[in-house]
């Protein structure tokens, strides 16, 4: 995903259709859901950034089996991904009960359309941000993914999720609104299995995405997630894990990258020079690096420059 441009949001962006007759042929991902706990399924995305080669298959999706059908957490980057998720829910989990989007980044909700005949839910702030940026995201994804995004509609959530306990089809969940990766991040605890669906608050073996990050808020959210004592974690990107590795690695990455950007600003380096320095060596081998590090400099370096440089003519 490239930087947002906020170019002219068009009326009706929330119902955007990309009319691409030359890209009419459906693309297939052959997604492979696997069961990680009793009634909890996961589709693991590639540990990469968006490319035309991966078609946007870069995000994790979780599904919970309930008496009312599947609860789907995040829907992927395209209509084709959403359709494959829907097919699995229909064929193996007794249909679809509802979809919940964890935050507003498009790899987590641009697959909503094939699921939207059932409730699509998110935090109210998440839904509002999805509506605001739908057109920009669509243009950006089309420029990167080409035919993979054919027929994709941007369909933001229409129902809201609030903090606290909530039951779906006999399955007890705990909704945990947090922030830091974005201004509104939702984590979900499945009470029966102790599995935490963390969204992009947690990454493992894939560089975290920082374009909307607030480092201090995100680190506080990680402390809160760690305190839950989850039996397993579905990160937003990376493998399912049981021992807290994702929280520890995400915390270390955030601190190291924050400090690297601050040091570059204190030394008076330009953003280009900060990019040339590359990611912290310990994390250079993570999936999606150096791309994510470069994007972090583009979007976050100004924060550190503002703190490091004197205000000309100021007090």
């Amino acid at each position: 995903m490239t930087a947002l441009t906020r170019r002219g949001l068009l009326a009706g962006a929330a119902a955007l259709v990309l009319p691409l007759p030359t890209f009419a042929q459906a693309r297939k991902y052959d997604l492979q859901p696997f069961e990680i706990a009793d009634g909890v399924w996961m589709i693991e995305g590639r540990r990469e950034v968006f490319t035309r080669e991966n078609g946007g298959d870069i995000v994790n999706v979780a599904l919970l089996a309930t008496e009312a059908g599947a609860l789907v957490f995040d829907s992927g980057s395209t209509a084709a991904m959403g359709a494959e998720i829907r097919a699995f829910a229909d064929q193996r989990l007794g249909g679809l009960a509802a979809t919940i989007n964890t935050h507003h980044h498009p790899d987590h909700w641009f697959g909503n359309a094939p699921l939207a005949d059932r409730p699509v839910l998110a935090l109210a702030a998440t839904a509002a941000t999805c509506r605001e940026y739908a057109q920009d995201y669509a243009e950006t994804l089309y420029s990167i993914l080409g035919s993979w995004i054919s027929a994709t509609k941007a369909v933001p959530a229409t129902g809201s999720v609030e903090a606290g306990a909530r039951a779906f089809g006999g399955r007890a969940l705990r909704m945990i609104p947090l922030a830091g990766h974005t201004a509104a991040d939702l984590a979900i605890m499945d009470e029966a299995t102790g599995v935490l669906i963390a969204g992009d608050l947690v990454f493992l073996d894939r560089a975290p995405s920082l374009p909307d990050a607030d480092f201090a808020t995100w680190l506080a959210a990680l402390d809160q997630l760690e305190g839950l004592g989850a039996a397993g974690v579905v990160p937003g990107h990376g493998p399912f894990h049981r021992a807290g590795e994702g929280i520890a690695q995400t915390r270390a990455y955030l601190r190291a990258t924050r400090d690297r950007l601050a040091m570059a600003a204190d030394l008076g380096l330009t953003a280009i020079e900060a990019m040339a320095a590359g990611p912290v060596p310990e994390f250079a081998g993570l999936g999606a690096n150096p791309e994510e590090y470069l994007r972090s400099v583009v979007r976050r370096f100004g924060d550190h420059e503002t703190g490091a440089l004197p205000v000309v003519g100021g007090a």
Side-chain angles (χ1 to χ4, degrees), residues 260-261 263-279 293-294 297-298 301 305 309:
R260 191 169 189 79
L261 297 183
M263 178 182 294
D266 288 341
L267 291 171
L269 301 184
T270 66
I272 297 298
E273 289 170 323
M275 289 182 186
Y293 170 75
L294 299 178
V297 176
V298 171
F301 190 59
E305 283 184 314
L309 298 177

Side-chain angles (χ1 to χ4, degrees), residues 217-230:
T217 303
W218 194 343
L219 289 167
L222 290 173
D223 291 343
Q224 189 167 339
L225 293 180
E226 188 172 54
L228 297 174

Side-chain angles (χ1 to χ4, degrees), residues 153-238:
K153 299 179 181 180
V155 180
T158 55
S160 62
V161 171
E162 297 180 352
R166 183 160 178 174
F168 286 90
R171 194 138 198 156
L173 304 179
R174 195 183 336 162
M175 301 294 175
I176 310 166
L178 294 166
H181 173 65
T182 69
D185 298 293
L186 179 65
I188 304 98
M189 175 70 83
D190 176 47
E191 301 288 10
T193 63
V195 169
L196 175 67
I197 300 165
D200 277 8
L201 288 167
V202 177
F203 290 69
L204 182 59
D205 297 340
R206 195 272 192 194
S209 299
L210 308 182
D212 298 307
D214 180 311
F215 289 105
T217 303
W218 194 343
L219 289 167
L222 290 173
D223 291 343
Q224 189 167 339
L225 293 180
E226 188 172 54
L228 297 174
V233 176
V234 179
H237 301 261

Side-chain angles (χ1 to χ4, degrees), residues 67-237:
E67 295 172 356
L71 275 177
V72 173
F73 297 90
D74 292 331
S75 60
S77 308
T78 68
M81 286 189 72
E84 289 192 28
I85 294 166
R86 177 61 184 268
F88 178 77
D90 288 342
Q91 295 165 11
R92 296 288 301 276
L93 301 180
L96 175 67
T99 299
I100 298 176
N101 300 141
T102 60
H103 64 286
H104 76 265
H105 288 161
D107 49 328
H108 294 259
W109 68 276
F110 256 54
N112 279 355
L115 310 169
D117 61 324
R118 304 296 298 159
V120 179
L121 311 173
L123 295 172
T126 294
T129 309
C130 290
R131 290 191 294 271
E132 181 179 4
Y133 290 122
Q135 181 68 25
D136 285 320
Y137 283 148
E139 293 175 3
T140 299
L141 287 185
Y142 173 63
S143 70
I144 299 172
L145 301 182
S147 62
W148 286 100
I149 202 170
S150 176
T152 295
K153 299 179 181 180
V155 180
T158 55
S160 62
V161 171
E162 297 180 352
R166 183 160 178 174
F168 286 90
R171 194 138 198 156
L173 304 179
R174 195 183 336 162
M175 301 294 175
I176 310 166
L178 294 166
H181 173 65
T182 69
D185 298 293
L186 179 65
I188 304 98
M189 175 70 83
D190 176 47
E191 301 288 10
T193 63
V195 169
L196 175 67
I197 300 165
D200 277 8
L201 288 167
V202 177
F203 290 69
L204 182 59
D205 297 340
R206 195 272 192 194
S209 299
L210 308 182
D212 298 307
D214 180 311
F215 289 105
T217 303
W218 194 343
L219 289 167
L222 290 173
D223 291 343
Q224 189 167 339
L225 293 180
E226 188 172 54
L228 297 174
V233 176
V234 179
H237 301 261

